[in-house]
Amino acid sequence: MDLESGRPFWPVQNGLIRNYPRLRGSIKTDVLIVGAGITGAIIADELTRHGFRVAVVDRRDVGGGSTAASTALLQYEMDSSLQQLEQWYGPEIARGLYHSGVQAINVLKAICGQLPDSGGFQARPSWYLASSPEDVDELQREYALRQAAGLPVEYRDETAIRSSFDFIAPGALYTSVAGEVDPYRLTHALLHRVTSSGGQVFDRCAVHEWETAHGLVRFETEGGEITARCAVIAAGFESEAFLPQAVASLRSTYAFVSEPLTAFPGWPERSLLWETARPYLYLRTTTEGRILAGGEDSLFRNSPLRDRVLKTKVAQIEARVRGMFPRIDFAIDYAWAGTFAETKDGLPFIGPHPDRPGLLFALCYGGNGITYSMLAAATLRAHLEGDSHPLASAVAFERHPLKARDGE
């Protein structure tokens, strides 16, 4: 299945950063990671730095799946609000999940600072904008909950927004803990550190068969086989081929990146921007001084239908961006559509599945894929070390909401 269409910016911008071999013959390792996108790379790096031998395989080129189409906004907020999560899972779990997002951004910033290539990481503030006056009361309740939880947040009213931007919004939540990254570059930078430490990476290496026996897992590929103590499945929504039933629904998102600009009048600090409406518009910039904007999400039905509406969807996003920033004269350089998965509660599925012994999962679905990947790395490492992460039950397949979510 095609995970994206159009011309995703990151592979065009970066080109072929590194070559990785195909698997030939048989190897043994501690942990096999299926998926060489940003999630697999973050997990491989975490495990390697803590003494595990890892091998990573991907049916495509490294970073060539959903990672290539990711817009990579780094925010501690989730698609589900703190209010919603408290209603479903209680305050302790909800607050823990939100704090894990803050921690993920701070840890990722430190990791990128250690790499020869920082992966384009840049700290930015984030504004979560009320899309209409009717959203203000809920936004203020969210602000009060986040403040009580000790999360980094400030409330900005319409006057403050008007004084900062060229557009008007009736209210917003502002946070200084956010950022942006080039996910394709970061994937290669992390996997380079993995291979430099003795790990192995194989791309264009599809998995055909797998089995669990005698406490080991064995995966057959086109060129050979890999035997490991366990396998981490980190292949995006294609991971569901390893599950007995689907756990997420598919959606399509649309995005464009502009030609490089020299100034961003009416856009202070080149902040990350997103809104309360669903689906929502989201905006950021790149290290080269480009606007990256996306949104207009829709249910995924098939690749041809997604691709047919690309031009129309991008035009709608462009019109909104021009309306928000009338002093920024930009031209679109590349546009694309990507398919992603989302869960009913907006949370990832991380850890073992009761019906799949020997496999661990890192299904970092939704708009917080990279911060969820950081949580997955910490959670899975704890599991492999015989420990339990404090949030393991919150992201487990068997999690039980306090209040069932009505059919969405």
Side-chain angles (χ1 to χ4, degrees):
M1 175 181 168
D2 293 331
L3 302 185
E4 77 281 328
S5 62
R7 297 195 70 186
F9 173 64
W10 307 119
V12 174
Q13 168 73 11
N14 296 295
L16 183 62
I17 296 176
R18 287 185 180 86
N19 290 303
Y20 302 89
R22 298 189 185 192
L23 176 64
R24 293 288 184 264
S26 300
I27 65 169
K28 294 181 179 180
T29 190
D30 292 333
V31 183
L32 168 64
I33 299 172
V34 180
I38 186 62
T39 298
I42 287 173
I43 294 169
D45 181 65
E46 174 79 5
L47 296 182
T48 301
R49 287 187 293 111
H50 287 84
F52 292 90
R53 293 180 304 148
V54 305
V56 184
V57 298
D58 198 297
R59 62 182 297 197
R60 299 178 176 84
D61 292 323
V62 164
S66 295
T67 296
S70 171
T71 48
L73 283 74
L74 305 177
Q75 297 164 305
Y76 76 76
E77 296 102 329
M78 303 173 183
D79 286 345
S80 297
S81 68
L82 183 61
Q83 299 175 68
Q84 291 171 317
L85 292 177
E86 286 198 2
Q87 291 170 3
W88 299 333
Y89 299 108
E92 183 178 356
I93 288 177
R95 293 180 180 189
L97 287 164
Y98 261 66
H99 277 288
S100 77
V102 175
Q103 182 181 21
I105 293 170
N106 289 331
V107 172
L108 187 61
K109 178 181 179 180
I111 289 173
C112 291
Q114 299 164 358
L115 296 169
D117 178 355
S118 68
F121 181 94
Q122 178 65 54
R124 301 282 187 199
S126 173
W127 294 69
Y128 182 41
L129 305 165
S131 302
S132 69
E134 290 75 22
D135 295 337
V136 170
D137 286 346
E138 183 174 349
L139 200 66
Q140 290 178 331
R141 287 193 294 271
E142 180 75 7
Y143 164 68
L145 282 177
R146 292 190 194 180
Q147 193 176 49
L151 291 160
V153 65
E154 300 173 24
Y155 185 78
R156 302 291 171 85
D157 62 16
E158 182 176 328
T159 301
I161 297 167
R162 187 193 300 265
S163 67
S164 298
F165 295 94
D166 280 357
F167 59 80
I168 300 171
L173 299 185
Y174 170 90
T175 176
S176 60
V177 181
E180 61 195 29
V181 75
D182 177 334
Y184 185 82
R185 268 176 62 192
L186 182 56
T187 296
H188 280 273
L190 290 169
L191 291 179
H192 180 60
R193 182 157 75 171
V194 167
T195 57
S196 298
S197 300
Q200 298 172 283
V201 179
F202 306 98
D203 62 7
R204 291 157 293 151
C205 180
V207 170
H208 293 311
E209 302 287 343
W210 63 276
E211 65 176 2
T212 301
H214 309 296
L216 298 172
V217 293
R218 186 177 64 85
F219 280 68
E220 291 186 7
T221 73
E222 295 171 341
E225 66 177 35
I226 302 175
T227 303
R229 289 166 46 193
C230 73
V232 173
I233 310 301
F237 66 80
E238 292 180 330
S239 301
E240 297 202 2
F242 294 90
L243 289 170
Q245 69 279 324
V247 296
S249 58
L250 299 185
R251 301 188 69 84
S252 297
T253 193
Y254 303 84
F256 74 77
V257 67
S258 74
E259 293 180 345
L261 302 168
T262 57
F264 294 83
W267 192 341
E269 302 179 274
R270 291 163 57 173
S271 308
L272 309 186
L273 302 171
W274 61 309
E275 59 176 345
T276 56
R278 295 294 186 271
Y280 55 83
L281 177 74
Y282 49 91
L283 298 93
R284 55 163 286 192
T285 60
T286 73
T287 54
E288 302 79 27
R290 301 170 185 264
I291 295 172
L292 197 167
E296 293 295 324
D297 298 0
S298 59
L299 286 173
F300 175 83
R301 301 191 186 283
N302 55 67
S303 298
L305 178 60
R306 177 198 64 195
D307 299 349
R308 280 200 300 271
V309 300
L310 173 60
K311 184 175 181 180
T312 300
K313 295 280 191 178
V314 168
Q316 292 169 341
I317 297 168
E318 178 187 8
R320 289 204 59 192
V321 176
R322 292 192 186 281
M324 293 172 70
F325 298 105
R327 289 188 288 156
I328 301 178
D329 183 19
F330 66 88
I332 293 177
D333 215 353
Y334 301 100
W336 65 93
T339 298
F340 67 97
E342 66 175 10
T343 60
K344 289 185 176 180
D345 57 9
L347 298 180
F349 287 105
I350 299 169
H353 189 283
D355 297 328
R356 293 293 183 265
L359 304 187
L360 298 173
F361 291 85
L363 310 186
C364 301
Y365 295 152
N368 300 77
I370 296 177
T371 51
Y372 284 164
S373 299
M374 296 295 293
L375 175 60
T379 303
L380 296 179
R381 176 171 67 84
H383 178 87
L384 290 169
E385 291 176 340
D387 201 354
S388 179
H389 190 279
L391 292 172
S393 63
V395 293
F397 285 95
E398 303 93 335
R399 60 179 176 255
H400 300 292
L402 299 175
K403 179 181 178 182
R405 190 175 188 184
D406 295 331
E408 293 186 9

